[in-house]
Amino acid sequence: MRSGSTGPDPTITVQEDTMNPVIDFFQGLAAHVPDLLQPFIIAAAGAVPFIEGEISSIIGVWAGMNPIVAGIAGAIGNFVCVSVIVLLGARARRAVVTRKAEKRKLAAVGAGVGDEAAADGTGGVAGAGTAVEALPADGTAGDMVAEGNLGEEGKPESKGRIKFKRFLTRFGVPGASLLGPLAIPTQITSTILVGAGVKTSWILLWQGIAIIAWTTLTTLIATGALTLFAG
């Protein structure tokens, strides 16, 4: 479900080549397990990046599952994985933001003590030095945290990430969530949205809508193709 307008992204190409054996594994497993276990296999496949609900539903349909069951199982697996990523990521981000706020508060207190000492004519140099040292340290840490949340860390971003961020800038969270699967997996788009500070409920809502929409589309395509080939 990924597309590119100026040539393939080497990172995504390598990852998708790596996924081919995984797809073959789930396809063979779904075709040989009892019918009652097939939905669980498809749900597990839906939780894997670059397979997700779209491809897992196709695996289920071609394994002989009811298309509705295959689509629901794939979408559930995909959404559960995204939900875990979003909730854990949001929790980690809150912890980072809280630590930054505490550091800034301590730096402000240090600056206030330095000012009072300077007014009294004692300890002004020491207090000012403490305040000056605290502020740059906090600012540098904040920059590093922001880069880490966005997954950049000074390294060149993949075309998929760049494309998704353009979607986000142009269309906001709803449009970026719906168009995101054309660029990168929902697990990665969710991470970017969490790092950008988007509200958790808003991310889950639109990621859920996107997962349902794309899974439904690919399930219909797979069902139609199977019907056509079967005559």
Side-chain angles (χ1 to χ4, degrees):
M1 296 304 299
R2 323 287 172 230
S3 65
S5 57
T6 59
D9 183 345
T11 303
I12 293 181
T13 301
V14 170
Q15 288 172 326
E16 289 184 337
D17 289 342
T18 305
M19 283 296 106
N20 286 335
V22 180
I23 294 174
D24 293 338
F25 167 76
F26 279 113
Q27 191 168 10
L29 187 60
H32 292 91
V33 298
D35 293 347
L36 291 177
L37 294 180
Q38 284 182 332
F40 297 98
I41 301 301
I42 300 305
V48 179
F50 290 98
I51 296 181
E52 306 172 271
E54 303 104 287
I55 298 179
S56 65
S57 64
I58 296 176
I59 294 174
V61 170
W62 283 81
M65 290 180 61
N66 181 292
I68 296 177
V69 176
I72 293 175
I76 288 176
N78 195 170
F79 185 73
V80 168
C81 180
V82 167
S83 298
V84 171
I85 291 173
V86 170
L87 294 176
L88 292 180
R91 182 177 180 180
R93 187 178 187 278
R94 282 195 297 270
V96 170
V97 171
T98 300
R99 285 199 299 269
K100 288 177 61 180
E102 290 175 352
K103 288 181 179 180
R104 289 175 179 173
K105 184 177 180 180
L106 290 174
V109 171
V113 171
D115 292 340
E116 290 178 1
D120 293 337
T122 59
V125 175
T130 303
V132 171
E133 289 176 1
L135 288 173
D138 178 63
T140 303
D143 292 341
M144 293 175 63
V145 167
E147 291 178 355
N149 282 341
L150 293 175
E152 296 171 356
E153 297 181 352
K155 299 179 181 179
E157 289 189 311
S158 67
K159 291 181 180 179
R161 283 179 175 268
I162 294 173
K163 183 180 294 185
F164 176 76
K165 289 184 178 181
R166 287 175 181 170
F167 290 155
L168 184 59
T169 301
R170 182 173 300 181
F171 306 113
V173 174
S177 297
L178 293 172
L179 296 175
L182 293 172
I184 48 179
T186 50
Q187 291 89 343
I188 299 178
T189 62
S190 299
T191 302
I192 295 174
L193 292 174
V194 170
V198 180
K199 190 176 179 181
T200 300
S201 59
W202 195 237
I203 298 175
L204 292 177
L205 172 63
W206 282 103
Q207 288 295 301
I209 292 173
I211 289 170
I212 292 173
W214 282 103
T215 303
T216 300
L217 176 62
T218 56
T219 302
L220 292 175
I221 293 174
T223 303
L226 184 62
T227 302
L228 180 64
F229 292 151

mmCIF file of all heavy atoms in Angstrom, residues 93 96 100 139-155 157 161 165 191-192 195-196:
data_model
loop_
_atom_site.group_PDB
_atom_site.id
_atom_site.type_symbol
_atom_site.label_atom_id
_atom_site.label_comp_id
_atom_site.label_asym_id
_atom_site.label_seq_id
_atom_site.Cartn_x
_atom_site.Cartn_y
_atom_site.Cartn_z
ATOM 1 N N ARG A 93 6.031 10.346 26.777
ATOM 2 C CA ARG A 93 6.157 11.767 26.448
ATOM 3 C C ARG A 93 5.757 12.645 27.631
ATOM 4 O O ARG A 93 6.389 13.666 27.901
ATOM 5 C CB ARG A 93 5.294 12.102 25.234
ATOM 6 C CG ARG A 93 5.497 13.523 24.719
ATOM 7 C CD ARG A 93 4.663 13.796 23.477
ATOM 8 N NE ARG A 93 4.998 15.093 22.923
ATOM 9 C CZ ARG A 93 4.506 16.245 23.368
ATOM 10 N NH1 ARG A 93 3.641 16.235 24.373
ATOM 11 N NH2 ARG A 93 4.864 17.384 22.827
ATOM 12 N N VAL A 96 8.584 12.807 30.030
ATOM 13 C CA VAL A 96 9.651 13.689 29.550
ATOM 14 C C VAL A 96 9.268 15.150 29.747
ATOM 15 O O VAL A 96 10.074 15.966 30.214
ATOM 16 C CB VAL A 96 9.951 13.408 28.061
ATOM 17 C CG1 VAL A 96 10.877 14.477 27.491
ATOM 18 C CG2 VAL A 96 10.578 12.034 27.897
ATOM 19 N N LYS A 100 11.107 18.017 32.099
ATOM 20 C CA LYS A 100 11.553 19.303 31.558
ATOM 21 C C LYS A 100 10.966 20.466 32.355
ATOM 22 O O LYS A 100 11.662 21.447 32.644
ATOM 23 C CB LYS A 100 11.141 19.420 30.085
ATOM 24 C CG LYS A 100 11.936 18.544 29.135
ATOM 25 C CD LYS A 100 11.425 18.662 27.714
ATOM 26 C CE LYS A 100 11.532 20.076 27.201
ATOM 27 N NZ LYS A 100 11.036 20.204 25.810
ATOM 28 N N GLY A 139 17.857 23.512 28.018
ATOM 29 C CA GLY A 139 17.498 23.756 26.626
ATOM 30 C C GLY A 139 18.047 22.689 25.710
ATOM 31 O O GLY A 139 17.367 22.197 24.813
ATOM 32 N N THR A 140 19.298 22.268 25.955
ATOM 33 C CA THR A 140 19.891 21.227 25.121
ATOM 34 C C THR A 140 19.148 19.917 25.274
ATOM 35 O O THR A 140 18.852 19.213 24.318
ATOM 36 C CB THR A 140 21.368 21.027 25.511
ATOM 37 O OG1 THR A 140 22.039 22.272 25.384
ATOM 38 C CG2 THR A 140 22.025 19.992 24.621
ATOM 39 N N ALA A 141 18.803 19.582 26.530
ATOM 40 C CA ALA A 141 18.063 18.341 26.767
ATOM 41 C C ALA A 141 16.727 18.386 26.069
ATOM 42 O O ALA A 141 16.264 17.394 25.503
ATOM 43 C CB ALA A 141 17.871 18.133 28.276
ATOM 44 N N GLY A 142 16.071 19.531 26.080
ATOM 45 C CA GLY A 142 14.768 19.648 25.434
ATOM 46 C C GLY A 142 14.859 19.412 23.941
ATOM 47 O O GLY A 142 14.015 18.729 23.349
ATOM 48 N N ASP A 143 15.929 19.949 23.299
ATOM 49 C CA ASP A 143 16.100 19.740 21.863
ATOM 50 C C ASP A 143 16.324 18.272 21.551
ATOM 51 O O ASP A 143 15.804 17.726 20.586
ATOM 52 C CB ASP A 143 17.292 20.564 21.349
ATOM 53 C CG ASP A 143 17.014 22.066 21.414
ATOM 54 O OD1 ASP A 143 15.828 22.414 21.489
ATOM 55 O OD2 ASP A 143 17.971 22.857 21.401
ATOM 56 N N MET A 144 17.129 17.605 22.388
ATOM 57 C CA MET A 144 17.404 16.189 22.159
ATOM 58 C C MET A 144 16.151 15.350 22.329
ATOM 59 O O MET A 144 15.909 14.424 21.563
ATOM 60 C CB MET A 144 18.490 15.710 23.117
ATOM 61 C CG MET A 144 19.856 16.335 22.871
ATOM 62 S SD MET A 144 21.057 15.847 24.096
ATOM 63 C CE MET A 144 21.155 14.091 23.814
ATOM 64 N N VAL A 145 15.337 15.696 23.309
ATOM 65 C CA VAL A 145 14.097 14.954 23.532
ATOM 66 C C VAL A 145 13.161 15.116 22.353
ATOM 67 O O VAL A 145 12.553 14.170 21.875
ATOM 68 C CB VAL A 145 13.420 15.432 24.838
ATOM 69 C CG1 VAL A 145 12.003 14.917 24.917
ATOM 70 C CG2 VAL A 145 14.207 14.941 26.038
ATOM 71 N N ALA A 146 13.034 16.339 21.854
ATOM 72 C CA ALA A 146 12.138 16.583 20.729
ATOM 73 C C ALA A 146 12.561 15.785 19.517
ATOM 74 O O ALA A 146 11.754 15.180 18.829
ATOM 75 C CB ALA A 146 12.124 18.078 20.392
ATOM 76 N N GLU A 147 13.889 15.749 19.251
ATOM 77 C CA GLU A 147 14.361 14.994 18.102
ATOM 78 C C GLU A 147 14.122 13.510 18.304
ATOM 79 O O GLU A 147 13.737 12.796 17.389
ATOM 80 C CB GLU A 147 15.842 15.264 17.893
ATOM 81 C CG GLU A 147 16.122 16.690 17.418
ATOM 82 C CD GLU A 147 17.603 16.946 17.256
ATOM 83 O OE1 GLU A 147 18.383 16.043 17.609
ATOM 84 O OE2 GLU A 147 17.963 18.034 16.802
ATOM 85 N N GLY A 148 14.352 13.034 19.541
ATOM 86 C CA GLY A 148 14.150 11.619 19.800
ATOM 87 C C GLY A 148 12.703 11.220 19.618
ATOM 88 O O GLY A 148 12.397 10.173 19.082
ATOM 89 N N ASN A 149 11.764 12.050 20.041
ATOM 90 C CA ASN A 149 10.350 11.732 19.908
ATOM 91 C C ASN A 149 9.934 11.638 18.459
ATOM 92 O O ASN A 149 9.051 10.865 18.092
ATOM 93 C CB ASN A 149 9.511 12.804 20.602
ATOM 94 C CG ASN A 149 9.486 12.628 22.105
ATOM 95 O OD1 ASN A 149 9.788 11.550 22.602
ATOM 96 N ND2 ASN A 149 9.155 13.665 22.819
ATOM 97 N N LEU A 150 10.543 12.474 17.628
ATOM 98 C CA LEU A 150 10.194 12.461 16.218
ATOM 99 C C LEU A 150 10.975 11.404 15.446
ATOM 100 O O LEU A 150 10.762 11.215 14.264
ATOM 101 C CB LEU A 150 10.451 13.847 15.599
ATOM 102 C CG LEU A 150 9.541 14.959 16.116
ATOM 103 C CD1 LEU A 150 9.970 16.286 15.520
ATOM 104 C CD2 LEU A 150 8.094 14.683 15.767
ATOM 105 N N GLY A 151 11.891 10.736 16.112
ATOM 106 C CA GLY A 151 12.636 9.683 15.466
ATOM 107 C C GLY A 151 13.711 10.197 14.531
ATOM 108 O O GLY A 151 14.165 9.488 13.644
ATOM 109 N N GLU A 152 14.149 11.451 14.713
ATOM 110 C CA GLU A 152 15.103 12.028 13.786
ATOM 111 C C GLU A 152 16.542 11.803 14.247
ATOM 112 O O GLU A 152 17.339 11.189 13.580
ATOM 113 C CB GLU A 152 14.832 13.534 13.635
ATOM 114 C CG GLU A 152 13.468 13.812 13.019
ATOM 115 C CD GLU A 152 13.126 15.291 13.077
ATOM 116 O OE1 GLU A 152 13.919 16.053 13.661
ATOM 117 O OE2 GLU A 152 12.084 15.683 12.553
ATOM 118 N N GLU A 153 16.877 12.354 15.448
ATOM 119 C CA GLU A 153 18.200 12.229 16.026
ATOM 120 C C GLU A 153 19.288 12.662 15.060
ATOM 121 O O GLU A 153 20.374 12.103 15.008
ATOM 122 C CB GLU A 153 18.448 10.779 16.477
ATOM 123 C CG GLU A 153 17.490 10.350 17.573
ATOM 124 C CD GLU A 153 17.744 8.930 18.028
ATOM 125 O OE1 GLU A 153 18.568 8.244 17.384
ATOM 126 O OE2 GLU A 153 17.121 8.501 18.999
ATOM 127 N N GLY A 154 19.002 13.663 14.246
ATOM 128 C CA GLY A 154 19.993 14.199 13.344
ATOM 129 C C GLY A 154 20.225 13.367 12.097
ATOM 130 O O GLY A 154 21.045 13.730 11.254
ATOM 131 N N LYS A 155 19.551 12.247 11.943
ATOM 132 C CA LYS A 155 19.744 11.377 10.792
ATOM 133 C C LYS A 155 18.758 11.746 9.687
ATOM 134 O O LYS A 155 17.661 12.217 9.963
ATOM 135 C CB LYS A 155 19.536 9.910 11.201
ATOM 136 C CG LYS A 155 20.524 9.421 12.266
ATOM 137 C CD LYS A 155 20.238 7.985 12.632
ATOM 138 C CE LYS A 155 21.197 7.496 13.723
ATOM 139 N NZ LYS A 155 20.905 6.095 14.112
ATOM 140 N N GLU A 157 15.794 11.557 7.233
ATOM 141 C CA GLU A 157 14.531 10.839 7.337
ATOM 142 C C GLU A 157 14.210 10.116 6.041
ATOM 143 O O GLU A 157 14.643 10.526 4.962
ATOM 144 C CB GLU A 157 13.399 11.827 7.662
ATOM 145 C CG GLU A 157 13.468 12.372 9.071
ATOM 146 C CD GLU A 157 12.212 13.154 9.409
ATOM 147 O OE1 GLU A 157 11.819 14.004 8.597
ATOM 148 O OE2 GLU A 157 11.636 12.916 10.473
ATOM 149 N N ARG A 161 8.512 9.030 5.862
ATOM 150 C CA ARG A 161 8.309 9.947 6.985
ATOM 151 C C ARG A 161 8.124 11.378 6.502
ATOM 152 O O ARG A 161 7.279 12.118 7.009
ATOM 153 C CB ARG A 161 9.496 9.871 7.949
ATOM 154 C CG ARG A 161 9.495 8.639 8.844
ATOM 155 C CD ARG A 161 10.718 8.633 9.737
ATOM 156 N NE ARG A 161 10.675 7.530 10.684
ATOM 157 C CZ ARG A 161 10.169 7.604 11.910
ATOM 158 N NH1 ARG A 161 9.659 8.741 12.327
ATOM 159 N NH2 ARG A 161 10.172 6.560 12.711
ATOM 160 N N LYS A 165 4.755 13.676 7.052
ATOM 161 C CA LYS A 165 4.781 14.973 7.720
ATOM 162 C C LYS A 165 4.215 16.062 6.804
ATOM 163 O O LYS A 165 3.620 17.031 7.287
ATOM 164 C CB LYS A 165 6.203 15.300 8.167
ATOM 165 C CG LYS A 165 6.654 14.420 9.328
ATOM 166 C CD LYS A 165 8.031 14.797 9.835
ATOM 167 C CE LYS A 165 8.419 13.928 11.023
ATOM 168 N NZ LYS A 165 9.751 14.266 11.562
ATOM 169 N N THR A 191 3.423 6.863 16.039
ATOM 170 C CA THR A 191 4.573 7.324 16.818
ATOM 171 C C THR A 191 4.890 8.787 16.515
ATOM 172 O O THR A 191 5.190 9.583 17.424
ATOM 173 C CB THR A 191 5.802 6.454 16.509
ATOM 174 O OG1 THR A 191 5.505 5.084 16.792
ATOM 175 C CG2 THR A 191 6.995 6.888 17.338
ATOM 176 N N ILE A 192 4.820 9.159 15.247
ATOM 177 C CA ILE A 192 5.090 10.544 14.850
ATOM 178 C C ILE A 192 4.051 11.481 15.453
ATOM 179 O O ILE A 192 4.376 12.561 15.959
ATOM 180 C CB ILE A 192 5.105 10.668 13.318
ATOM 181 C CG1 ILE A 192 6.280 9.872 12.734
ATOM 182 C CG2 ILE A 192 5.202 12.136 12.892
ATOM 183 C CD1 ILE A 192 6.299 9.823 11.221
ATOM 184 N N GLY A 195 4.697 11.934 19.147
ATOM 185 C CA GLY A 195 5.849 12.798 19.347
ATOM 186 C C GLY A 195 5.540 14.259 19.072
ATOM 187 O O GLY A 195 6.156 15.156 19.656
ATOM 188 N N ALA A 196 4.566 14.495 18.174
ATOM 189 C CA ALA A 196 4.180 15.871 17.861
ATOM 190 C C ALA A 196 3.249 16.463 18.907
ATOM 191 O O ALA A 196 2.890 17.638 18.821
ATOM 192 C CB ALA A 196 3.513 15.913 16.488
#
